[in-house]
Amino acid sequence: METAKTIESVRVLVKAARSEGKKIGFVPTMGALHVGHISLIEKAVKECDFVIVSIFVNPTQFGPGEDFEKYPRPLEADLDICRKGGVDVVFVPTPEQMYQAENLTWVNVEKITEPLCGRFRPGHFRGVATVCAKLFNIVGADVAYFGQKDAQQAVVIRRMVDDLKMPLEIVVLPTVREDGGLAVSSRNKYLTEEQKKDARLIYKSLQKCREMIEAGNTDPEAITAEMRKILSQAPSIQIEYVSIVDAENLQKLDKIIGRVLAAVAVRIGPARLIDNIVLDIKKQ
Ligand code: AMP
């Protein structure tokens, strides 16, 4: 496995792989790798001949007062996971390589970045879309792998690739969960055992949503009210949003029908946690 620290070195390695006719897979991450990331790496290794993982804590997707500085950066452990996972190249750029002193070109995906996390993290998706566009241009992969855990991010990236005619396929893989249902996240490290227990209510609220919809309830207000009740069982949980939206355009629904995304964002202690499920409701 190669660890590439510069844009030029990644390009040279990918060019060589491509000249051998290899299918190039790419897994962009911020590091602090866990079983969620590993599921993406495994899929990429299975489906592609040459796999690149990037590890870059992207400053432009963090807002003021967010956890950019304290975001975990266990590089040696991450490299070990990649090595064991069969990754060919780990790309670890510095912020200076990714951004000039003043970055003048930004990717703004409209509308679908406004609801859900977009409301609570202004500028976040501009940072995400911009860094992904840069990484896609650097790596030149055939396929990039993302997790359903960050549902809005996956929708935004798919749309950016589609709108800008970027020549790569986006694959979105299911959310990996701990026992008890909590979605695995690098930010779970910020939680005490007690807070982690409380955090299980997030998945419990999503399961309640699934049950109600499967029982034929089509009223988003009634369902989100029940979800909120479950989340309020833990005083440590501060709800940011509980929403049921169209899974493609992320707009609010009056009635639940078609492919819907039920999404939750909460704060527990120092952590901001998100989770979601997608349900496909057949038209009656
Ligand atoms: P991050 O390092 O948090 O930027 O995440 C890198 C990629 O891993 C993103 O595509 C995430 O959606 C994905 N990911 C993070 N957590 C999980 C999880 N629990 N299950 C599946 N994918 C995940």
Side-chain angles (χ1 to χ4, degrees):
M1 188 181 82
E2 300 270 355
T3 304
K5 294 201 169 132
T6 65
I7 292 169
E8 293 67 34
S9 57
V10 177
R11 288 206 166 120
V12 167
L13 291 162
V14 173
K15 200 172 168 191
R18 196 168 280 297
S19 74
E20 292 168 26
K22 290 184 171 169
K23 180 174 173 179
I24 317 286
F26 177 41
V27 183
T29 81
M30 298 206 298
L33 302 182
H34 51 61
V35 286
H37 299 112
I38 292 172
S39 74
L40 307 185
I41 292 173
E42 278 175 353
K43 187 75 164 180
V45 168
K46 203 165 147 201
E47 291 187 348
C48 303
D49 310 304
F50 193 82
V51 172
I52 297 133
V53 171
S54 64
I55 297 179
F56 181 59
V57 185
N58 173 37
T60 67
Q61 70 187 70
F62 289 79
E66 289 189 354
D67 56 345
F68 174 69
E69 273 84 19
K70 70 168 192 189
Y71 198 85
R73 290 166 171 85
L75 184 59
E76 283 314 312
D78 285 349
L79 294 177
D80 220 38
I81 287 172
C82 290
R83 207 173 287 116
K84 288 188 180 124
V87 171
D88 296 282
V89 178
V90 182
F91 177 41
V92 197
T94 57
E96 293 70 28
Q97 280 187 71
M98 296 298 287
Y99 294 96
Q100 303 200 34
E102 191 184 14
N103 193 75
L104 296 181
T105 307
W106 297 93
V107 181
N108 265 316
V109 179
E110 297 177 355
K111 281 190 180 169
I112 52 176
T113 52
E114 285 166 16
L116 307 176
C117 289
R119 262 184 58 213
F120 293 88
R121 303 186 75 187
H124 170 70
F125 289 112
R126 179 178 92 141
V128 169
T130 301
V131 81
C132 284
K134 287 175 192 261
L135 289 167
F136 292 167
N137 281 335
I138 293 165
V139 172
D142 298 298
V143 195
Y145 295 84
F146 286 83
Q148 177 60 30
K149 151 108 183 344
D150 299 276
Q152 188 171 16
Q153 168 173 285
V155 171
V156 168
I157 296 303
R158 266 195 202 287
R159 185 61 192 242
M160 174 188 78
V161 164
D162 206 9
D163 279 345
L164 298 182
K165 310 301 172 204
M166 293 179 168
L168 86 160
E169 183 193 344
I170 301 297
V171 170
V172 180
L173 296 171
T175 302
V176 178
R177 301 176 182 285
E178 296 182 3
D179 293 343
L182 177 63
V184 180
S185 163
S186 311
R187 291 188 166 102
N188 293 352
K189 291 194 176 80
Y190 302 153
L191 302 175
T192 62
E193 278 311 306
E194 201 55 38
Q195 288 168 333
K196 249 182 145 178
K197 248 187 236 159
D198 291 347
R200 290 184 187 165
L201 292 173
I202 300 169
Y203 188 56
K204 213 170 155 198
S205 75
L206 290 167
Q207 278 177 311
K208 179 74 181 174
C209 169
R210 184 192 300 279
E211 272 167 33
M212 288 178 80
I213 291 178
E214 284 176 357
N217 197 322
T218 58
D219 177 3
E221 294 293 331
I223 299 170
T224 50
E226 287 304 313
M227 294 171 72
R228 283 175 174 275
K229 261 191 220 162
I230 292 175
L231 292 167
S232 0
Q233 285 168 17
S236 72
I237 294 184
Q238 279 174 272
I239 299 173
E240 270 194 2
Y241 64 77
V242 178
S243 289
I244 302 179
V245 296
D246 179 288
E248 313 309 322
N249 63 25
L250 308 183
Q251 299 307 306
K252 277 223 156 147
L253 296 164
D254 294 330
K255 185 176 180 227
I256 292 174
I257 192 117
R259 254 187 105 236
V260 301
L261 172 76
V264 174
V266 302
R267 290 183 173 280
I268 303 185
R272 180 181 184 276
L273 303 177
I274 56 171
D275 199 355
N276 69 87
I277 53 169
V278 173
L279 295 163
D280 210 344
I281 317 304
K282 299 274 170 293
K283 290 196 169 47
Q284 308 286 345

